[in-house]
Amino acid sequence: MRSLSVAAALATLALGSVPSHAQEPTPAQPPAAQPPAAPTPPATPPPATPPPATPTPPATPAQPKPAQPAQAQPAQGAPQPAQPQAQPKTPAKVSSVCPGRILPLAVGNVWTYETVQAVLNGNPVTAPENMTRLIPHRAVKIVVAVRSVETNGQRMALVEGPFGLEVFVVTSAENKGPDTIVGLAEEITYDITRDPKTPKIFDKTIESTIVCSPKGRFDISPESFFFAGEPGGFRGLEFTKFERKKQTSLKLTNNVIGETEWIEEIVAEYQKVPTKGSNAKLTGGRLEMERKFIPQPVENTATRFGTFRTERLGLTTTGRIMLDTKLAPDGKPCTQKKLNEKKEEIAVPTEICELPANWIANIWLSNNIGIVQTLNPYAHMYQLIDAKLH
């Protein structure tokens, strides 16, 4: 249950080495259109309109015996192909407290995602062999809800009222500056069942934030699913410092993503948190990350919730970790693979622990909807199955 890139970077320290893999982001192709079924005359044609001389392909996905699964997706997120619609689904106009509508944020908005088969360019995707020891549990379901918004000295929020009903309240807030702070609650469901006779399913709730402003700021906290398209939260550590030195998480041009690449540079300090009651004194470290966002061509993306016109972002993460206390020989806790004079691959000790090279994720977004689909380096793909937006 670790956040992509950040916690995975910390996980590499426990392994004593830093794996690497090279993979360039490749634009995903729209799902291949299925040939229409053989046209047949309508069973009961309207009396005022004669049947057409030449039938045309249906404009909607309704067809005899559509190829859809007869039951809900298995708990472990067994592979299941997306179900394309005949035309991209046109979302209704929605409001947002942050610039643009590529990720509409308003109190009460809810997005629900489930795991699906990881596919890119029509081909199944698997995690590289050198990533297998870093793979976290795959989430079965993710529900992200906007719970509060602070702006212009006011706080708007949904809170639990009488009889368990949620009520909307407005109170004063300490935030009186130009920034808007959006509070998110993210409920993540995991299935760790080993014996089908004894299901083990548990939920974990993460609180995260998005800070935006009219001047282009769109900072997403690293705990959030929206940060890198991966269920967030950190177990056993907390950030004591988290700064962005350059750019932001979501850079918009004229309220859309556009075609320009950008790099978000992050410098953070973390502290390991001991188990409650252990009174252990643990160390921390420093984390540096560069997150390069590469816009890809616009495409249609088919999901169980509909087919959407999407803007895809390729996200390549690089970075390094420096430990406060280096317990390894010569103070070099990590290793990097290099070639010696004989062109043999050897492991060289180093005090700086690099993240795996070309750590790549993909995020698909649709205007007035938000994130529609994600694919991370672990070959975990999550897809939108429902959204309630205002």
Side-chain angles (χ1 to χ4, degrees):
M1 292 72 74
R2 298 166 291 190
S3 178
L4 179 66
S5 300
V6 177
L10 304 178
T12 61
L13 300 179
L15 302 178
S17 62
V18 181
S20 64
H21 70 282
Q23 175 184 357
E24 293 299 324
T26 306
Q29 300 298 323
Q34 298 180 354
T40 58
T44 55
T49 305
T54 303
T56 57
T60 67
Q63 296 180 8
K65 298 181 180 179
Q68 297 183 0
Q71 57 185 357
Q73 187 170 321
Q76 287 288 358
Q80 180 181 140
Q83 302 162 21
Q85 304 289 322
Q87 296 178 351
K89 186 172 182 178
T90 303
K93 294 288 184 180
V94 297
S95 60
S96 180
V97 297
C98 289
R101 291 198 177 101
I102 198 67
L103 182 56
L105 299 168
V107 175
N109 282 4
V110 180
W111 298 264
T112 303
Y113 303 87
E114 286 186 354
T115 182
V116 297
Q117 178 187 16
V119 176
L120 192 62
N121 296 329
N123 299 315
V125 178
T126 57
E129 183 179 353
N130 56 5
M131 295 285 289
T132 55
R133 291 189 296 172
L134 296 176
I135 296 178
H137 281 295
R138 185 200 308 265
V140 175
K141 187 177 182 180
I142 306 164
V143 180
V144 182
V146 179
R147 304 297 298 176
S148 65
V149 170
E150 290 186 17
T151 185
N152 298 324
Q154 288 188 330
R155 184 177 190 274
M156 299 162 283
L158 285 174
V159 299
E160 186 173 338
F163 311 107
L165 299 177
E166 291 186 333
V167 294
F168 187 81
V169 297
V170 179
T171 58
S172 60
E174 296 181 0
N175 174 36
K176 302 184 185 300
D179 294 341
T180 296
I181 302 176
V182 180
L184 304 177
E186 310 185 19
E187 185 174 287
I188 308 167
T189 302
Y190 293 96
D191 187 337
I192 58 173
T193 301
R194 293 186 178 181
D195 183 355
K197 298 180 180 179
T198 310
K200 292 185 178 181
I201 298 175
F202 69 95
D203 296 327
K204 182 178 182 181
T205 300
I206 302 296
E207 293 184 355
S208 59
T209 60
I210 295 176
V211 181
C212 61
S213 74
K215 295 184 178 180
R217 184 179 184 183
F218 211 120
D219 296 345
I220 303 175
S221 68
E223 301 89 352
S224 179
F225 173 69
F226 292 157
F227 182 74
E230 178 70 13
F234 308 105
R235 184 176 56 189
L237 67 89
E238 63 180 5
F239 284 109
T240 56
K241 174 183 176 181
F242 196 91
E243 295 181 353
R244 288 172 168 85
K245 296 294 185 180
K246 183 180 178 182
Q247 295 297 349
T248 188
S249 304
L250 197 57
K251 184 178 179 180
L252 302 180
T253 302
N254 296 325
N255 290 331
V256 297
I257 292 175
E259 300 178 355
T260 305
E261 300 177 0
W262 75 92
I263 299 176
E264 178 186 31
E265 295 184 3
I266 294 172
V267 175
E269 295 176 0
Y270 67 91
Q271 182 69 39
K272 295 180 181 179
V273 179
T275 303
K276 188 175 181 179
S278 67
N279 296 321
K281 294 182 179 180
L282 305 179
T283 61
R286 175 184 173 91
L287 168 67
E288 297 176 353
M289 282 199 305
E290 301 82 37
R291 302 193 334 131
K292 184 176 181 179
F293 292 85
I294 309 172
Q296 304 293 327
V298 175
E299 59 192 71
N300 287 348
T301 301
T303 74
R304 291 172 54 191
F305 190 52
T307 298
F308 301 94
R309 195 71 170 162
T310 60
E311 297 185 72
R312 180 165 72 94
L313 285 175
L315 170 57
T316 301
T317 301
T318 57
R320 61 216 57 86
I321 292 174
M322 289 72 73
L323 297 177
D324 289 342
T325 303
K326 305 175 180 64
L327 302 179
D330 300 324
K332 297 180 178 180
C334 295
T335 60
Q336 285 185 326
K337 292 182 178 180
K338 294 184 178 181
L339 296 179
N340 60 14
E341 296 178 354
K342 298 180 180 180
K343 303 300 180 181
E344 299 171 333
E345 191 176 74
I346 59 174
V348 179
T350 175
E351 62 182 22
I352 298 177
C353 307
E354 295 284 345
L355 268 69
N358 296 320
W359 195 293
I360 295 173
N362 290 275
I363 303 174
W364 288 259
L365 301 100
S366 182
N367 205 33
N368 290 322
I369 289 292
I371 292 180
V372 168
Q373 181 174 271
T374 68
L375 174 62
N376 64 51
Y378 309 122
H380 293 173
M381 176 171 273
Y382 298 101
Q383 202 172 82
L384 185 70
I385 65 165
D386 189 34
K388 295 179 175 61
L389 308 177
H390 301 282

